[in-house]
Structures are given as structure tokens and as C-alpha cells.
Amino acid sequence: MSEQDQHHVDRDEEATFSINRRRFLQGSSGALLAAGALGPAFAHAAASGEGSARSGGRQASNGQEFDFGNGATAPEGVSSVPASATGRPMPDLEQYDPVAPDERLGWAVVGLGDFALNQILPAFGNSTHSRLAGVVSGNADKARQVAQQYGVADSGIYSYDNFDEISDNDDIDIVYIILPNALHEEFTVRAAQAGKHVLCEKPMAPSVEACQRMIEACRDNDRKLMIAYREQFEPHNLAAIKAIRDGMVGDVNLLSVNTGVSLDPEEPSAQWRLNKALAGGGSLYDIGIYALNASRYLLGEEPTQVFARIHSREDDPRFAQVEDNVAFQLIFPNGAVANCTSSYSTPKNNEASVFGTKAWLRMAPLSNYYNHWLIVDDGNQRIEPSIQEIDQFAAEMDHLSRCVQDDTAPHASGEEGMQDVRIIRAIYESAATGEMVSIESDYERDPNLLITDSPNLPDVWQQSDS
Ligand code: NDP
């Protein structure tokens, strides 16, 4: 083996080690697992705390103090700090710089389901410009309980029937719609007519026509409309976009983006997803949209053609109304091809690989709630940047709050949401006809929009170069 080959092997081993170590440290039981791998004696020490500094490694049993200082004159700041309890300067704020509650915009969340309660409401705790001021639900007991848990006043609780009275509530500026897909249109229109700005969950709506009506309602009422593409604020995804735009991977010719989850029809959140009238479609609308949207923002271009196949097993009653497996190809103007899949019959997965002439880039997962992972590999060297996770839900909500406060356009506009729905309809048409389908659209977005002045873009590539 040449010295160069040996070097490559060493680099690969180093890279593999660093990945394993990072994943390992992310696990909650890391310490004990590590100890287990290093042998039973160490495992025992880790579990019992023996040998740690805390267990008294440096403090003598008779209380005698040891001084390991070297006797030099300490810097001014070190010697002048009082030994008694005292106030200290404001630390540098790494991630959160919250404004006072009365300067934040008030939000009402519509639909208190799985996603709203497990991800979105807790995220208000990490937001800097948004606060929860209202809840809207068809279940009055649940609404009261949640309002109590989050300190929402009784005057901020609404049902679907009296939702329009929200127009009288000056404490609420923005309405976040987290309902089944087919209900997004009705509540976006009602919210805009009530004078509220709107964040609407993906997919925007089942049809392009419904998306158009939502855009018009917000425009007619001079309200902002944003679609909740949280991954467009997620730092690993932003770092990937930056790497591609900066030419780190060369010219991109191929992408492979896959999404899957296994739906249990006993779960309430799966029941509407398997009902066409509420979901609009199956795995493609629900999770294939992540593959579609990521292909578009990673390449920074709009596909011009699609080709697709759809397959659902005939003996699986879950798919009486909506599709299970979808394989679709997006063809981009420069010739690049994205091969994408979505499925409701596989253990949870979502991942993206981008193949360029100089390197390939991989995100696995691509768009989970947490625990993202990004690598770039040029065949010889692998870079795995260290990127801190953020609360992407808080980041997207704060983005819209800032857009309202500064009167700027949200990154993920209604037109951005409508473009995905337009392409989804073309994918269905291709699967139904067996033909390649052209996408008729003049939608375009600045390919650098998501990474220009983004507070969530990590400064990792310079760090890796140095
Ligand atoms: P759930 O089924 O868990 O919650 C939906 C809620 O909508 C219900 O709890 C109910 O709230 C309300 N609702 C009103 N009418 C109906 C109806 N006819 N059938 C069912 N529910 C109804 O769904 P999810 O929270 O998983 O999904 C909601 C939306 O959020 C979807 O658009 C989905 O695509 C999106 N989503 C986005 C994610 C992301 O990462 N961006 C992740 C997960 C979902 P109540 O009881 O309060 O009236």
C-alpha cells in the first residue's frame, strides 16, 4: 500500500470514528455504553462514579487544601473577581436574544393534535419574537387544559365555530394552522378575513386552485402568508445549500431523496392521513413533499418535467383511498435529475444524497425534528462539520414574526407552497398516464434566499477549511 493510500485509509478511519463518536455521544445512554465497550471494570467505575473528580480525586480526606497555581501574577479580571456572590457582565448570546414579551407577536394555534402539542407549543419556549396567545380546537376540554398549561387567557380560547371572533382579539397577530390538509384553505381564508397573518402547515392544500384562493385571501386582506417548511430554517440543510452554492461539490447532476414512515391506522393522526377527502393524497402529499421541496432548495432551481410510478399493495386496506409507495423523477433545466421516493410502508426514514462532479453530500436524516447529520466526501477526504441543532420550529415562527414586524416577505411564501402542490399534481398525472409530464410554471426564487443573512446558517465550511 502506497503512503498516499495509507493516508486515505487513515482519513477514512478518522472520519468513521468521528461520526461514530458523535452519534454515540448524542445517545442518552452514551456514558454507560462507552463504558461497556471499554470493558466491565470501567463500566463499573462509570456507574458508581469511582475515579471521577467529583468523587474526591483531588481533595484529601482530612480537608487539607492543595494549591496547584504556579505563583505568577494573575490577570486583572481573575484577581479582582469578588469571592462573594455578585453580579457579572452579560454573556455573549450564542443563539437566543429574546425581546420582551410585550414586544413579541401573539400567536394562536389552530388544531391541538400530535404535531401542535408535541413540537409547536413547546417551541414557543425557545422563540425570541413570538408568544402563544390563543388556541383553537374542536375539543373544549383539551383547549382549556392546554390553555392552562401554557398560560393562555380564557379570552384566547376559540372553537372552530366561533373562530371568526378572533378578529376582535388584538392580542393575536398571527394564526398557525395545524389541521388536516384539506382544512388549511378554509382556516387560512377565515384567518386572513379576521385580519390575522397566517403560517399554514405543509402541504399547503390538496389543489393548486385552493392554494391560489389562499394566496388571494391573504393578499386581499393585506396579510402575510407563509407555509411551514421548517427544514428551510434548519442549520444542516442551510449548510448543505451553502456547500452546493459555493461549489464544494462541483456541478450537481444527480440527487437521491427518500422519505418513509409506517402508518398505524389505529392512531388518530394516521386516520385522516388515510382519508382522501382530508389528506388530499397519500405519502406523496404528507412526506414525499419533503423530498420534493428539498430537491428544489438544494439545487436552487425549479424542475421542468416529472416522471412517476405509484404502487399500493391491493391486499392492504390502509390504501383504499390514498397511495402508498411513490417513485418520482424531477428533471431540472440544467439536466440534473432528482430520484425521489415516499412510502407509508417502511420504518421511518428520510435522507438526501447530492452527487456532484467534485464530491457527494449526504444528509441522514434530511428533515427530522432533531439529530441531523451532514457529510461531504470527495472520494478521498470526508468532512463532517460540527453543527449545533437549533429549535427549527421556533426559528420558522420567529422568521414570520420578524417579517410582520419589519414588513418583509417570508422566505417560504404561499407561491412556494403552491409550487410543490403544482408538481405533486404533475407527479400524479405522470403516474396515471405513464408519460413524462411538463410543469407549467413561471415560479422562481432566488437560489441564495435561504442562506443570505440567515441567523441560522452555521459558519462551518470556513471552520472546516482552516
Ligand atoms: P393530528 O391528527 O395529530 O392533529 C390534527 C388536529 O386537527 C386534531 O387533533 C384536531 O384538533 C384537528 N382537526 C380538526 N378537524 C379534524 C378532522 N376532521 N379530523 C382530524 N383532525 C381534525 O395531525 P398532525 O398534527 O400530525 O398534522 C396536522 C398538520 O400538520 C398536517 O397538515 C400535517 O401535514 C402537518 N404536520 C407537519 C409536520 C412538520 O414537520 N412540518 C409534522 C406533522 C404534521 P382538535 O382536537 O384540537 O380540534
Side-chain angles (χ1 to χ4, degrees), residues 112 114 137-138 142 160 181 201-202 230 272-273 290:
L112 302 179
D114 191 11
S137 172
K142 180 167 60 171
Y160 301 126
N181 309 338
E201 262 309 326
K202 47 55 61 179
R230 58 182 168 77
W272 69 259
R273 282 179 163 85
Y290 291 112

Side-chain angles (χ1 to χ4, degrees), residues 47-69:
S48 65
E50 274 173 32
S52 69
R54 214 158 26 110
S55 69
R58 287 196 175 174
Q59 193 165 9
S61 55
N62 63 6
Q64 183 186 353
E65 288 296 330
F66 294 106
D67 184 358
F68 293 109

Side-chain angles (χ1 to χ4, degrees), residues 59 195 200 237 325 339 375:
Q59 193 165 9
C200 177
N237 281 268
N325 304 292
N339 279 320
I375 54 170

Side-chain angles (χ1 to χ4, degrees), residues 360-439:
W360 54 266
L361 174 155
R362 183 148 201 258
M363 281 185 283
L366 160 74
S367 57
N368 265 13
Y369 297 156
Y370 299 101
N371 295 330
H372 294 86
W373 183 64
L374 167 67
I375 54 170
V376 180
D377 191 315
D378 70 359
N380 293 317
Q381 187 181 346
R382 177 172 293 187
I383 301 173
E384 182 194 3
S386 171
I387 298 175
Q388 190 177 346
E389 296 281 343
I390 66 163
D391 188 326
Q392 57 190 307
F393 315 108
E396 74 174 343
M397 290 192 289
D398 285 336
H399 174 71
L400 181 55
S401 288
R402 299 295 295 269
C403 288
V404 170
Q405 286 172 326
D406 301 342
D407 194 18
T408 52
H411 286 174
S413 64
E415 284 78 5
E416 166 75 6
M418 183 163 69
Q419 178 74 348
D420 275 344
V421 174
R422 181 181 288 121
I423 297 168
I424 285 172
R425 302 310 303 177
I427 290 170
Y428 282 145
E429 186 185 335
S430 172
T433 61
E435 304 283 330
M436 184 90 85
V437 173
S438 295
I439 296 160

